[in-house]
Amino acid sequence: MDETSLLPDSLAWMAWTWQTAAFFATIALLLAIFTVLAVRFPERERVGVLRIPTTRGDRLFITLLGSAFICLGWMAFASADLRGDLTFALPICLVYALAVFRFV
Amino acid sequence: MEKTLNNRAWWLVAPVFFVVAFSAVVPLMTVVNYSVQDTFGNNQFFWNGLGWFGELLDPSTDLGGRFFAALWRNLLFSAIILAIEVPLGILVALSMPRDGWKVAATLVLMALPLLIPWNVVGTIWQVFARTDIGLLGWVASALGLDYNYTGNALHAWITIVVMDVWHWTSLVALLCYAGLKSIPDAYYQAARIDGASRWAIFTTIQLPKMKRVLLIAVLLRFMDSFMIYTEPFVLTGGGPGNATTFLSIDLVKLALGQFDLGKAAAMSLVYNLIVLAVCWVFYTVMTHAGSGRAETEIAQ
């Protein structure tokens, strides 16, 4: 089925895909969650392995940026048949995220 | 006076939010969207998954080869101009007058190249370096040099580097000058009493006091040179061959010249991520540069 046919005609010319939507929805959701968290539990700076004070939001930024590079690294160095599939790269990102929130 | 906490004022941010969404966020989403698709024109798009990224990051492919070539070229260019402009800027700042009417005159002269639009700088140098009607090119030929910036890659590089130094050293110098001006006279008097040499004054007083502005200068010059487009585009058009095709020039060729939207989108995202990462590192270093030392000083 043509995915773009689900969209109204006025948006079809932008050729949106659900994958792009899912990607940005995830980021928007993360930002929303962290905003709510920041309101409910005010952020406090802390110094970790990077020796710089970071708040929860800073750690989210470091996580997202680092994850992007982990995925790029995966697409650059994984064997040719796994390169286009991030199924294994995303768990690495998750481990990285946990490490950032624990140690940075 | 009692102040009531009221978050309703945040609604005033709404117009900005919508303008930014319209002008920046949605276009960025479009780029991400294009990077996972292919198009043959006619607004027909086909799903390509992460194919472009895989190709882009593999130097053995056509796309990856040109991307990494442009990336190394661009990093080399940034390294060269930083290695020239930063020391030269410091040197210029150190020799600028400190008081009297000369200050204003020097500042105006120094600011002049910064006020010239990029494409005009490119045009000036394009004419300046021509061997038939340009002063630089003509003099180089008259001196017996086989100078030809449109045919010889090394000459093209030298011309672009000199052009960038001509255009931007002033910025480094002015920033350093501001840093130097903030040093109180007492420091110099103390140094004179101690009989400090010129070099000792530079390394122990002037350089540490310039550290912050130097970081800003390095950040600005790195980012500017890493994203440089207009000047080399006007001067050499990325040539001869691809010798001066930096990342932005290659990106424009890919996106607008060949209309390979998918490949160009993937390339611009990777380019953007590199810029973002470098910016974050510089920003972090800049905002925390002084603080770490201050803490140890207090501890002592």
Side-chain angles (χ1 to χ4, degrees), chain A residues 12-74:
Chain A
W13 61 274
M14 291 184 98
W16 292 114
T17 57
W18 68 263
Q19 289 89 344
T20 311
F23 175 73
F24 282 104
T26 311
I27 291 177
L29 186 70
L30 278 173
L31 290 178
I33 290 173
F34 275 78
T35 307
V36 172
L37 279 178
V39 172
R40 295 284 297 275
F41 311 99
E43 304 195 347
R44 218 173 300 126
E45 284 191 342
R46 136 194 130 188
V47 178
V49 284
L50 286 180
R51 310 285 308 276
I52 51 164
T54 53
T55 62
R56 218 179 293 133
D58 293 331
R59 292 194 283 276
L60 177 67
F61 178 77
I62 296 169
T63 301
L64 289 178
L65 190 60
S67 299
F69 278 95
I70 290 173
C71 290
L72 286 183
W74 177 268

Side-chain angles (χ1 to χ4, degrees), chain B residues 254-276:
Chain B
L254 197 59
L256 302 179
Q258 301 168 219
F259 212 68
D260 271 328
L261 285 185
K263 292 179 186 179
M267 192 194 212
S268 61
L269 285 177
V270 175
Y271 189 5
N272 198 351
L273 279 173
I274 297 172
V275 169
L276 197 59

Side-chain angles (χ1 to χ4, degrees), chain B residues 100-116:
Chain B
W101 63 272
K102 287 183 199 156
V103 175
T106 320
L107 288 179
V108 169
L109 275 178
M110 295 295 296
L112 272 181
L114 303 176
L115 300 175
I116 304 175

Side-chain angles (χ1 to χ4, degrees), chain B residues 78-90:
Chain B
S78 295
I80 292 175
I81 64 113
L82 280 178
I84 297 175
E85 286 173 18
V86 172
L88 190 62
I90 295 175

Side-chain angles (χ1 to χ4, degrees), chain A residues 3 12-17 19-21 23-24 50 52-53 58 61-62 65 68-69 71-73 75-76 83-86, chain B residues 25-26 28-30 32-34 36-37 43 45 47 49-51 53-55 57-58 270 273-274 276-277 280 284 288 291:
Chain A
E3 284 137 3
W13 61 274
M14 291 184 98
W16 292 114
T17 57
Q19 289 89 344
T20 311
F23 175 73
F24 282 104
L50 286 180
I52 51 164
D58 293 331
F61 178 77
I62 296 169
L65 190 60
F69 278 95
C71 290
L72 286 183
M75 289 186 278
R83 205 165 278 179
D85 188 356
L86 291 179
Chain B
V25 179
V26 176
L28 181 69
M29 289 171 68
T30 317
V32 173
N33 194 39
Y34 286 159
V36 290
Q37 301 186 77
N43 218 21
F45 284 88
W47 175 251
L50 299 169
F53 289 96
E55 214 176 309
L57 297 168
D58 183 356
V270 175
L273 279 173
I274 297 172
L276 197 59
W280 180 77
T284 308
H288 301 294
S291 60

Side-chain angles (χ1 to χ4, degrees), chain B residues 133-146:
Chain B
I133 56 166
L135 191 58
L136 174 71
W138 189 85
V139 170
S141 308
L143 289 173
L145 296 171
D146 183 26

